[in-house]
Amino acid sequence: MSLFFNRILTEDLYRYVGEENKKFSVRLRYLLFVPGFTYIFFFRHASQAKNVLSRYFFLFFLHITKYITHIQIPVGTKIDRGFRITHFGHIVINPGSVIGENFNISQGCLIGNAQGNRAGVPVIGNNVCMNANSIIVGNAHIGNDVLIAPGAFVNFDVPSNSIVIGNPGRIIPRDCSPTEKYIVYPVRNI
């Protein structure tokens, strides 16, 4: 099983269970019974496949998992280590998006492109938490340690150590990280 759990997958699983991420039973349980992690497993393997045969193998299972979990994250999307899908279902991420370390995403979230004045795709920093039904679209730069509240709509730049609430979104600056309680088992130098 360690053949299928490379460094980045081990770090992604660390975000779910901490130090137990290296146990075979934990790896198997999360692979088979936690839909968000199952999607991450096939997404990481399909994105990092070295040859055509293994790429198609993992793409096939990623495609099946997409229909089961209702998660759409295209292969090749730049998501750094420590990715955690806290609740699965109706999650869509644009393939041009760039996402940093220790990223949490919940059900109903959208990270997409936009046209017009804010044309482009989002760039998201480290330790960002997107709560249920929140949306980030357009050329928005999200700083580090940002909490996107449930139902928030973001199409503007957000500075580090902030909370975004409401639709349209409103920034509430903080002196310390508002995501500290939400980013459990952050990946550092494990």
Side-chain angles (χ1 to χ4, degrees), residues 5 27 34 38 40 56 89 103 110 122 127 136 151 180 183-184:
F5 272 81
R27 289 179 175 191
V34 178
T38 303
I40 291 170
Y56 282 121
F103 178 67
L110 167 70
N127 304 316
I136 303 174
E180 188 174 5
I183 306 291
V184 294

Coordinates of all heavy atoms in Angstrom, one line a residue, residues 5 27 34 38 40 56 89 103 110 122 127 136 151 180 183-184:
F5 N 0.8 5.3 -1.7 CA 0.8 6.5 -0.9 C 2.1 7.2 -0.9 O 3.0 7.0 -0.1 CB 0.5 6.1 0.6 CG -1.0 6.1 0.8 CD1 -1.8 5.0 0.5 CD2 -1.6 7.2 1.4 CE1 -3.1 5.0 0.7 CE2 -3.0 7.2 1.7 CZ -3.7 6.1 1.3
R27 N -5.1 4.2 6.4 CA -5.1 4.5 4.9 C -6.2 3.8 4.2 O -6.8 4.4 3.3 CB -3.7 4.1 4.3 CG -2.6 5.0 4.8 CD -1.3 4.5 4.3 NE -0.2 5.5 4.6 CZ 1.0 5.5 4.1 NH1 1.3 4.6 3.2 NH2 1.8 6.4 4.5
V34 N -14.1 7.4 3.1 CA -14.2 8.8 3.2 C -14.1 9.4 1.8 O -13.1 9.5 1.2 CB -13.0 9.4 4.1 CG1 -13.1 10.9 4.1 CG2 -13.1 8.8 5.4
T38 N -11.1 9.8 -0.9 CA -11.0 9.0 -2.1 C -10.8 9.8 -3.3 O -10.0 9.4 -4.2 CB -12.3 8.1 -2.2 OG1 -12.5 7.4 -1.0 CG2 -12.3 7.2 -3.3
I40 N -9.4 12.8 -3.5 CA -8.1 13.3 -3.5 C -7.1 12.2 -3.9 O -6.1 12.5 -4.7 CB -7.7 13.8 -2.1 CG1 -8.5 15.1 -1.8 CG2 -6.2 14.1 -1.9 CD1 -8.4 15.5 -0.3
Y56 N -4.3 6.6 -17.4 CA -5.7 6.2 -17.8 C -6.3 5.4 -16.7 O -7.5 5.5 -16.4 CB -5.7 5.5 -19.1 CG -5.6 6.4 -20.3 CD1 -4.6 6.3 -21.2 CD2 -6.5 7.4 -20.4 CE1 -4.5 7.2 -22.2 CE2 -6.4 8.3 -21.5 CZ -5.4 8.2 -22.4 OH -5.3 9.1 -23.5
G89 N -19.4 16.9 -1.9 CA -20.7 17.1 -2.7 C -20.7 18.5 -3.3 O -20.5 19.5 -2.6
F103 N -5.3 23.6 2.6 CA -6.5 24.2 2.1 C -7.7 23.3 2.5 O -7.7 22.1 2.2 CB -6.4 24.4 0.6 CG -7.7 24.9 -0.1 CD1 -8.1 26.2 0.2 CD2 -8.4 24.1 -0.9 CE1 -9.3 26.7 -0.4 CE2 -9.6 24.6 -1.5 CZ -10.0 25.9 -1.3
L110 N -17.5 26.7 -4.9 CA -17.1 27.0 -6.3 C -15.9 27.9 -6.3 O -15.9 28.9 -5.7 CB -18.2 27.6 -7.1 CG -17.8 28.2 -8.5 CD1 -17.5 27.0 -9.4 CD2 -18.9 29.0 -9.0
P122 N -8.9 32.5 -9.6 CA -8.3 32.9 -8.2 C -7.0 32.3 -8.0 O -6.6 31.2 -8.5 CB -9.4 32.3 -7.3 CG -10.6 32.1 -8.1 CD -10.2 31.8 -9.4
N127 N -3.3 28.0 4.3 CA -4.2 28.0 5.4 C -5.5 28.7 5.2 O -5.9 29.5 6.0 CB -3.4 28.6 6.7 CG -2.1 27.9 7.0 OD1 -2.1 26.7 6.9 ND2 -1.1 28.6 7.2
I136 N -15.6 31.7 -4.8 CA -14.5 32.6 -5.2 C -14.4 32.6 -6.7 O -14.2 31.5 -7.3 CB -13.2 32.2 -4.5 CG1 -13.3 32.1 -3.0 CG2 -12.1 33.2 -4.9 CD1 -12.0 31.5 -2.3
G151 N -21.6 30.7 2.5 CA -22.4 31.5 1.6 C -21.8 32.8 1.2 O -22.4 33.6 0.5
E180 N -7.1 29.2 12.5 CA -6.3 28.3 13.4 C -7.1 27.2 13.9 O -6.6 26.0 14.0 CB -5.8 29.2 14.5 CG -4.8 28.4 15.4 CD -4.1 29.3 16.4 OE1 -4.5 30.5 16.5 OE2 -3.3 28.8 17.1
I183 N -8.1 24.7 10.6 CA -7.1 24.0 9.9 C -6.5 23.0 10.9 O -5.5 23.3 11.6 CB -6.0 24.9 9.3 CG1 -6.6 26.0 8.4 CG2 -4.9 24.1 8.6 CD1 -7.2 25.4 7.2
V184 N -7.1 21.8 11.1 CA -6.6 20.8 12.0 C -5.4 20.1 11.4 O -5.4 19.8 10.2 CB -7.7 19.8 12.5 CG1 -8.8 20.6 13.3 CG2 -8.4 19.1 11.3

